[in-house]
Structure formats: C-alpha cells, structure tokens
Amino acid sequence: MRLARLAETTERLRATSKRTVKADALAELLANLSPTDVVPAIGFLLATPRQGSIGVGWGLVSKLDADGVNETAVHVDTKDGAASDLGAGEVRGVGGRPPPQDTPDVAGLDRLLSEIATLTGPGSEAARQHRLRRYLAVCDEKEQGFVRRVLVGDARQGALAGVMTDAVAKAAGVKRTAMRRGVMLQGNLGEAAHIALTGGPEAVEAIDLEVHRPIQPMLASTATDVARAIDTIGPASVEWKLDGARIQLHIDKDTDTEHDAQVSIFTRNLNDVTTRLPHVVAVAHSLPCRSAVLDGELLGFFGDGHAEEPQAFQDTMSAFGTDPTRSGDDTRPTTNLRPYFFDIMYLDGRSLIDTALVDRLAALHRLAPSYSVPQTFVETAQQAATVFDEAIAKGHEGVMVKAVGGGYEAGRRNKSWQKVKPVYTLDLVVLAAEWGHGRRHGWLSNLHLGALDPQTGQPVMVGKTFKGLTDELLAWQTEALQARKTRESDQTVWVTPDLVVEVALDGAQASTRYPGGVALRFARVRRYRPDKDPLSADTLDAVRALLPGV
C-alpha cells in the first residue's frame, strides 16, 4: 500500500476528536492492507516502527528540512573503512549490496528503516542523511510529512494503541473484548493484528499466555486517597507500592533436571534484560515450580537487602544490570537489587489471568513467600489507611488497592487496581524554557524550575517539566517568557526569574545533576501564581524535606 493512503488516513484522524470516527477510518485502512503490510503499517501509524531506535531523531530530521530533500553527494565512510563520495544510486546497503528500489509504500519504508538500523560507526550519520534524502525525493509532500513523523515518533493524530486495537477488531470482525485480550496475551499489537486480520475471531480466541513471550503489564488507575479507593473497590488487598523497576519473570524448568530451567526477564516495555540480572535468575531457579510467570518490582537496598529504608528510584535504576556484589566506591555500602513479586499469571502449565486476585495471591505466597510484596486484606478505609501509613513510614511510594475478585487485565488501566500516593505541591521560580517538538513546535515548553537557596535567596535549579501544560497555557507561557528573555541558545530561552509556578510532584530524589543536590520527581504544572512574588517561592530546604527518609 502506498504511504499516501496512510498519510490521508492520518489527516482524517486529525480532523476529528471522536474515538469511534477514528476507529472507523483506521478499520477501513486496515481492511485493505496486504498481510505483509499489517505489522509495519500499524507501527508507522502509531509512530513506533518495529525496528525501534534507528539512530534518527529531531536533529537529523531538522537538518533534512533545512537542507531540503534534493539529491546531493555526501562523503561516507563505508563498512570496510574506505571513503567514497556517493551520489544517487551509489549508497551501499548491508554487505555492500545496493539498496532495493526506493518506493513510497509500506514495504519500501519498512526496508529503508531496516537498512538504516544497520548503519553504525564513522560516516553512519552521513549515510543515514543520504538514504533519507533519496527516499524522501520519491515521496510527495504528504508522504514526506508522514515519513518525518514516523522517524521522530510523532503520530499527532490522537489514535493511540487503544483506538488502533478497536479498529483492528472492527476490520477483522472480532469482538473488542476478545481483541484487547489477544493483544494483551500476544504482547505486540502489530502481531496480534496480523493474526486477527488473517485468521479472524477463531485465531484471536486461540491466543493464550505462553511462557517466555511477555504480556503487556496490567496498569492501575489513580485514587486521591485510600478512602476513595475502598469506596470504589470494596474489600481489597492493600499492598506496599515499591518505587523500583518493574519486571516480568518467566520460568520454564525441566521436570527431571531442576538446574536446566530456562528463565526470561522482561521490563515494563517488554524488553529482554535476562542477561543483566543474574541474581534474579538465581531466585527463579530456587522457586519450587515447573513453570511460572510473575509480575513484580526490582528494588535496590544497601547492605544485605533487608534494610528498613529502600534505595531511591534513581539508585535502583543506576544499579540495574550491573554486578550487584560490587561497588566502585569503597566508601559506600554495596548495592543489592532484590526482586519482589505482587502477582502471578501462570503456574505449572495453567494460566491464572482469569483467576480471582485472592487466589492468585495465595498461589504467589506459597511459591515465593520470601519475595512477595507485603500486602493486607482489608474491608474498611481505616484499615487501608493503616497500611498506607506503614508503607510511607518504610520509605515506599504509597500503596496499591486491588479488588480481591479481579482478574489480571493486562495492558489497560483498570479501576480494580488503584494506586494511592502522597501528592506534594511546591511554588517554584521559572528560570528558562526549551522550545517544544512535534505538536508543541513553536511554543516554549519544557520549563527549568528553581527553588530558593535559603542562604542567598537566589533560585537554584531543581528540575524540569513539560507536563500539565494546556495549549492555552503554552501560548501564554511562550509570550510571557519571551518578554522576559535574557539570553538564548538554539534550544533554550533563559528568562528573568520573576514568574512563580505551582507544580505537583511525587517527591524528590538526591541528584548530582542540579546544583542543589536534589531533583523533583514526576513534576507537573498546576498553575502559574501571579499573586506570588519570587521571594515567596519554596526553598531548597522544602525540596530536601521530600527526600525519602527525611
């Protein structure tokens, strides 16, 4: 299929805010795709091509825009180290072979991205530029715009995975609930769509959980407090919400030889990180089962892993994938990364995703009692509040409140799981802002935020955020900050620090990135405070008070 069809559909999606209209437009397109085009086309429409990162970002695309797409000779270092000036038709592909004929269709763009993904080393950026110019030269204006958006991950049409899943269901004649479940269990929307569009409802119904094929993780909604969560859910399991790295553990053991177990570990984004976590593999070998799939968190501690205070999130992430038995600094305690599991979706040949949570937790606690997240069954908001207070006192993020009868509904935010965390607000000074990309192009977006040094009264940078900004606020902010500009680089505008903005945040963490030694966690703009003078903004001490354990 020509890229023009995808570009035209994208324009139709942009022209409406109605989910059903978007799904209908996508379904019409999907129904006319060839089987081989399904997976790459869905990736392009979502601006998440199947090749993943290929070394092309805003900088390179902006350069193409500035230089134009006409064919020009470029100097490229080839894979054998020889340099050559390559004009049109002379670019070398994998193994030195000429690339296939450029065609502005789904298959052609898919080939191009696969080829670019192989380019590494000296001269690779020039080679990428050359191949992209050559490809864009055979595209019309709409196709060029579509390709650019695919390259920078900017769909800009309001149809994300949920709408696409509904569109696949409509095009394939599959019930939406069955399609959503199929996507969850397949772990990949494109692959699930291919199954649906080529095999129909029966093929989708046949998709089941398989060990070593990661499934999309179940997600939680947000509740402002435990009382509201209990009001919504009723009797619940309340568990500590650990501030770690989410992992999905798959175990498949040879029943005769325990140590022949095959173990896979995946991240929240379903990336395989097994080789980076040998200590978690060892835990998997120790569990008394033939096969299992578990959901959990990887959490960092100092010392033997049983300390009262967990490490901050950034410390856990910095240790992710490193040798947990060594520290490069003899003056610091050794870092341990320990897995904690809060759910089990498969055990000894049987899928548990439709089993009630209370029964899944019983199976989890029998299998891995030493590696289970602390949880309590409660019936009242007061009982839930007690667990919440315990979790906060131990240095954790908050709690998860889960319906005891709920199944594991992966890949979706669900009211049967609700997370409750303390919400903090700070009044901070705007120090600078960065120009936005994609649909925020032309607006000052990413704010540099400062808290007052209590000794000098001067603002000190403690973080950035572009979250929480409406289009109206972005427009006002851009005008207001440009009027206060003191200096500017290609990307950043520094301003007179006289604007105060109120931000909500989840807390703070120690950081060497900013001069105050602290950084905001998940900051988002709530509103500007024209009623406040910069000298009344919060201080570094207020930010430091949000550090874990303080």
Side-chain angles (χ1 to χ4, degrees):
M1 179 179 285
R2 291 273 306 196
L3 291 181
R5 287 286 303 277
L6 275 66
E8 290 165 2
T9 300
T10 296
E11 293 301 320
R12 292 174 62 187
L13 300 178
R14 287 185 192 173
T16 181
S17 60
K18 295 182 178 179
R19 181 187 178 100
T20 54
V21 176
K22 291 179 186 289
D24 288 345
L26 287 168
E28 180 184 343
L29 176 72
L30 294 170
N32 288 285
L33 285 170
S34 68
T36 56
D37 281 351
V38 171
V39 173
I42 287 179
F44 298 157
L45 288 164
L46 297 178
T48 54
R50 66 180 183 85
Q51 291 83 359
S53 176
I54 60 171
V56 176
W58 276 102
L60 194 153
V61 173
S62 298
K63 182 172 176 58
L64 291 175
D65 289 341
D67 295 345
V69 298
N70 292 328
E71 285 294 295
T72 56
V74 293
H75 187 73
V76 180
D77 290 329
T78 57
K79 293 185 72 174
D80 60 5
S84 63
D85 290 312
L86 300 179
E90 296 182 23
V91 177
R92 297 292 178 181
V94 179
R97 298 186 301 274
Q101 180 65 37
D102 288 325
T103 307
D105 59 15
V106 171
L109 180 57
D110 189 52
R111 287 194 302 268
L112 172 72
L113 299 189
S114 294
E115 178 192 339
I116 289 177
T118 68
L119 298 174
T120 59
S124 59
E125 182 173 354
R128 292 188 194 101
Q129 291 181 34
H130 182 82
R131 287 296 291 120
L132 289 171
R133 286 197 188 97
R134 171 177 172 161
Y135 189 81
L136 291 171
V138 300
C139 297
D140 64 25
E141 185 175 351
K142 285 186 178 180
E143 290 168 336
Q144 288 179 5
F146 181 79
V147 172
R148 287 183 174 92
R149 289 192 293 274
V150 170
L151 292 171
V152 299
D154 180 15
R156 285 200 290 175
Q157 28 80 334
L160 300 179
V163 176
M164 182 66 75
T165 301
D166 291 350
V168 173
K170 183 177 180 65
V174 177
K175 292 181 179 179
R176 286 193 301 173
T177 52
M179 192 67 238
R180 291 170 181 170
R181 180 184 175 91
V183 172
M184 167 192 80
L185 295 173
Q186 187 67 27
N188 180 284
L189 174 52
E191 295 292 343
H194 184 271
I195 291 171
L197 292 167
T198 57
E202 290 186 0
V204 174
E205 293 286 352
I207 300 174
D208 202 356
L209 191 156
E210 293 183 8
V211 180
H212 300 306
R213 186 177 70 194
I215 68 172
Q216 294 179 355
M218 185 168 178
L219 304 175
S221 299
T222 299
T224 55
D225 55 57
V226 290
R228 293 192 181 186
I230 294 296
D231 283 345
T232 301
I233 290 175
S237 167
V238 182
E239 67 189 35
W240 295 358
K241 188 179 188 309
L242 309 187
D243 192 14
R246 193 162 180 177
I247 58 171
Q248 190 177 122
L249 177 65
H250 290 238
I251 308 168
D252 186 12
K253 295 183 180 180
D254 184 305
T255 56
D256 296 324
T257 310
E258 180 180 349
H259 295 291
D260 286 345
Q262 294 183 349
V263 176
S264 299
I265 308 167
F266 302 95
T267 66
R268 175 189 297 269
N269 295 326
L270 310 188
N271 297 318
D272 191 330
V273 291
T274 310
T275 58
R276 295 164 54 188
L277 299 170
H279 48 298
V280 181
V281 173
V283 169
H285 278 275
S286 72
L287 299 181
C289 63
R290 299 191 310 276
S291 57
V293 178
L294 299 95
D295 197 354
E297 296 273 342
L298 193 66
L299 194 63
F301 289 92
F302 288 120
D304 62 3
H306 296 280
E308 288 295 314
E309 195 72 41
Q311 285 190 323
F313 176 76
Q314 80 274 15
D315 293 321
T316 292
M317 294 308 296
S318 67
F320 200 134
T322 61
D323 182 350
T325 65
R326 299 184 61 186
S327 171
D329 185 348
D330 292 337
T331 65
R332 297 181 59 193
T334 300
T335 298
N336 284 327
L337 294 176
R338 179 180 173 88
Y340 284 89
F341 302 106
F342 52 77
D343 215 324
I344 182 167
M345 300 87 83
Y346 189 91
L347 181 62
D348 291 339
R350 176 173 169 246
S351 172
L352 302 179
I353 59 174
D354 295 322
T355 302
L357 175 67
V358 62
D359 296 322
R360 297 202 310 275
L361 289 177
L364 174 64
H365 294 158
R366 288 194 299 270
L367 177 67
S370 299
Y371 298 97
S372 295
V373 173
Q375 61 86 214
T376 305
F377 291 112
V378 306
E379 295 185 353
T380 69
Q382 184 176 359
Q383 292 171 324
T386 298
V387 182
F388 178 86
D389 291 341
E390 291 173 352
I392 297 300
K394 292 290 186 180
H396 299 293
E397 276 195 301
V399 295
M400 298 289 295
V401 182
K402 300 179 178 179
V404 293
Y408 190 94
E409 298 184 43
R412 302 189 67 196
R413 294 201 180 276
N414 196 289
K415 291 293 186 182
S416 65
W417 282 19
Q418 297 195 29
K419 56 186 174 183
V420 183
K421 299 188 291 184
V423 177
Y424 308 101
T425 62
L426 292 172
D427 292 327
L428 300 173
V429 179
V430 178
L431 305 178
E434 299 170 12
W435 291 105
H437 296 303
R439 67 177 304 274
R440 291 191 176 188
H441 180 74
W443 283 334
L444 285 170
S445 177
N446 199 16
L447 297 175
H448 296 203
L449 303 170
L452 301 183
D453 185 324
Q455 302 299 321
T456 66
Q458 296 300 309
V460 178
M461 189 171 176
V462 291
K464 302 180 183 181
T465 187
F466 56 85
K467 298 183 181 298
L469 295 166
T470 63
D471 288 356
E472 181 181 6
L473 194 55
L474 281 165
W476 176 87
Q477 175 176 285
T478 299
E479 182 178 354
L481 294 180
Q482 284 185 299
R484 292 167 168 79
K485 180 173 66 175
T486 58
R487 60 189 175 95
E488 183 174 5
S489 68
D490 290 342
Q491 186 60 33
T492 305
V493 173
W494 284 266
V495 300
T496 303
D498 61 358
L499 281 178
V500 176
V501 65
E502 180 183 327
V503 300
L505 64 158
D506 291 357
Q509 61 191 35
S511 173
T512 58
R513 182 176 182 180
Y514 300 120
V518 288
L520 311 177
R521 293 205 66 224
F522 303 114
R524 56 269 187 198
V525 172
R526 297 187 69 177
R527 55 179 173 161
Y528 274 87
R529 297 298 304 264
D531 57 318
K532 289 205 169 188
D533 184 276
L535 294 178
S536 66
D538 283 302
T539 67
L540 280 174
D541 287 342
V543 182
R544 290 168 182 153
L546 303 180
L547 289 170
V550 174

